[in-house]
Amino acid sequence: MSRSGVHVVEAHYNSSWDRLTSSLRYDQFRWLYISNLCFMFAMMGMFLVRSVLAFRLTDSEFALGLVAFVVGVPMVVVAPLGGALADRLDRRKLILFVQTAAIVDEALVFVLLITDQLAFVHLLVLTGALGLLFPFMMPARQAIIANVVGRRGLGNAMALQMGGMNFTRIVGPVAAGALIPLVGMASTYAVALVLYGVGLAAMFRVRPSFPDEVEQKGSVFGDIVDGFRYVWQHPPVRVLLIFGLVPTLLAMPFQTLLVVFALEVWDVGEWGLGVLNAVAGIGGLVGSVYVAWNAESHQRLRRMMASIFAFGSTLLLFSVSPWFLLALPFIFFADVFVTMFMVLNNTAIQMLIPDFVRGRVMSLLMMSFGLTPLGTLPMTWFAEHYGAPAAVALASVLMLVLAVIFFVFSPALRRIDTSTREAEIEFGELDRRGRRSPELTPAAK
């Protein structure tokens, strides 16, 4: 039995539903999943609430950018430190500590709000503090999944995790937006605090979860350097991290321009913008469900390349669509395919890495999401000068070209299926003939 508390039993899937929800058979993953859903639901809702508060307090669009900025910058700057701590400490305890601090931070905003003393500077400072906390929690939340389900369940668990995030991305802001006019801003904040509390309580049901492999620890800075060195010295991990940046930097910033498509290109107003965001979110959920259902497949490279080419093609069709209704299926399938690509890419990375470096590698993934604004700035500049359709179309074409370049010139990418199978053999998931070993499941259900 490992330190994460898993042992060997046989797996039997009696139906497609069993395949889709296989990770939820793990008692520990169910509690982790509940915790993640509640936390993400509250967090996504609070993104909208903080934006509304910032605009009401300042009547300035620039204030919205400042709020987003103080949350996004720490993802790049602080994430490596959070990853190093996730590889040193009990990941469960780290999550509990940081999530408690996040609740205290949100509670301070709530108190200032109900006492009518909240100013924009308070909101900005407390939001910045929240942005500093996220990089310490998110790498641990990603790394702990492997501790809970084992490598055998990673594909399904990662897909369900991404599906849950897409669900909260759809429902969280919609619920918050509906609650504000019904019960008021303060009561909406109170509901979010309750959800944060439920997520914290669920996390207490997860057992302590240390890295499975123990190594001699030096300084935290040394651990951070070792994390970067590990990625540089392992081409399969390095190429997947860089390849994952292609849609993140080039294509995903298109979501920022949806407001331009809705208001200026198709003239469908705010309701049309809401429809676009909802359809995109549903597409992401469908993509996650498909990967969860088909998590056993070893044809990762073929599915990754197919999904990124399909994403680029449907996004290109979306950008040139002359009609709003015609664009809806294109944005739906674009988000289906980009979600498939991201889940497959992230799962392959998790399969390749040993547990003692997992938190640090997950922190690099988090940094890549923080880099999204770097792609947003040139895309919005291009859109301002040449139009949003031309900007998204150009980004789509560039992404397709880069995907071809990666495939042609990267031997490490082309042999990624072999590399992941070798990693499974090395870590005991397959025997030497490539046959599946019994599944790792929790010691207690």
Side-chain angles (χ1 to χ4, degrees), residues 406-423:
F406 264 90
F407 182 78
V408 172
F409 293 100
S410 176
L413 179 63
R414 293 198 301 273
R415 68 184 306 270
I416 206 68
D417 289 340
T418 302
S419 297
T420 53
R421 289 175 70 84
E422 289 174 349

Side-chain angles (χ1 to χ4, degrees), residues 261 265-266 314-331 389 393:
F261 280 93
V265 178
W266 297 311
T314 49
L315 187 59
L316 179 61
L317 291 172
F318 167 83
S319 68
V320 299
S321 172
W323 303 297
F324 173 70
L325 292 179
L326 180 62
L328 293 181
F330 292 142
I331 195 173

Side-chain angles (χ1 to χ4, degrees), residues 370-439:
L371 291 173
T372 302
L374 295 181
T376 301
L377 288 176
M379 180 177 282
T380 51
W381 178 90
F382 194 92
E384 184 173 339
H385 289 80
Y386 302 101
V392 176
L394 177 62
S396 303
V397 172
L398 286 176
M399 183 182 65
L400 292 171
V401 171
L402 282 177
V404 172
I405 292 173
F406 264 90
F407 182 78
V408 172
F409 293 100
S410 176
L413 179 63
R414 293 198 301 273
R415 68 184 306 270
I416 206 68
D417 289 340
T418 302
S419 297
T420 53
R421 289 175 70 84
E422 289 174 349
E424 288 181 294
I425 292 171
E426 178 182 355
F427 296 111
E429 294 294 325
L430 297 178
D431 63 24
R432 291 294 171 179
R433 296 182 180 179
R435 295 176 301 190
R436 177 66 65 184
S437 299
E439 182 182 4

